[in-house]
Amino acid sequence: RGAKDATDGVLAYHSGLESESLRRVGLAADLRRALDRDELEVHFQPKVELESGAVAGAEALVRWPHPTFGPVPPGELIAIAGSTGQLGQLTDQVLEEALKRSAEWAGPDGPLPMAVNLSPRTLADGGFPARVAEVLGRHGVPAARLTFEITEDDVVADGSRLIPVLDRLHEMGVRLSVDDFGTGYSSLGYLRRLPVQEIKIDLSFVQGMATDADDRAIVAAVLGLARHFAIDVVAEGIESHRTLEELRAMECEIGQGYYFSRPLPPDRFRTWLETQGDGGAGGTRLRAV
Ligand code: C2E
Ligand code: MG
Ligand code: MG
Ligand code: MG
């Protein structure tokens, strides 16, 4: 990619870098509109109890079907929202939709447990816990039915800075989950310092289990660690029956993955939930309407 100075602007750039930044500038400009017009969507993927097959909850995953660029990958969307100061609004919209659905999809024992992904930038906002309390209250969802997932990298990089807000959320009764566990850092000391109730074993290890003894050893070690700390474990990225059986044999309790369901738009997720009635001991979670 040949660097040209600003005076040379007549010559078009054709490097991949250039079209990438054009895309970014275009998306950043469009995101304002998308947020104001409620064009972002939220899809839902179940968390499943591996032994019984019962639905343990759902994870909310943001989607942006851009009219010309097509679906924007969530990672890219979050990065843009972060750099343009729009992440707070994005998170608020996802949380709103997630808790609305949690209440709507209540089962016999209350609202469907719901997980929402957070970026450290959101937790740096001191007003966040109060907004969470407001949305929970408005939808009548008990705090213990809400889990925030934060990737291990973010927890390790920002952990100490985030402790006050994490502690406040914990005091409210909200659960904290460490996402993509195992991909981050070698020190696990933060598990003692932070109010963590769940870890999600990164899908790279889960998918490797079928063929790789190293990955199986890592999964087994994480399960042992979690048992010690009395932390729940979710295996993410289960795509095959074989992986499911291995995880069951290792007494991993909860899983997520395409084997059960891809993330689905709300109407299809509801339909999926309704078909879970005869699958396992838990039965359908939906209250009869
Ligand atoms: P994550 O929280 O670790 O979510 C899991 C990702 O793996 C999702 O990708 C999901 O669609 C995908 N996945 C689930 N099961 C399987 C499987 O069996 N096989 C494979 N190959 N993939 C599977 P997605 O939806 O593209 O999200 C990517 C990441 O973007 C998420 O990773 C999360 O870190 C972030 N993200 C998504 N929504 C939000 C949001 O509302 N806020 C924030 N801050 N981050 C979000
Ligand atoms: Mg997640
Ligand atoms: Mg993950
Ligand atoms: Mg991930």
Side-chain angles (χ1 to χ4, degrees), residues 59-61 115-117 149-150 179-180 200 236 256:
E59 176 177 5
L61 295 156
V116 172
N117 294 281
E149 301 188 1
I150 305 170
D179 208 339
D180 302 347
K200 299 184 75 174
E236 56 176 23
Q256 223 178 342

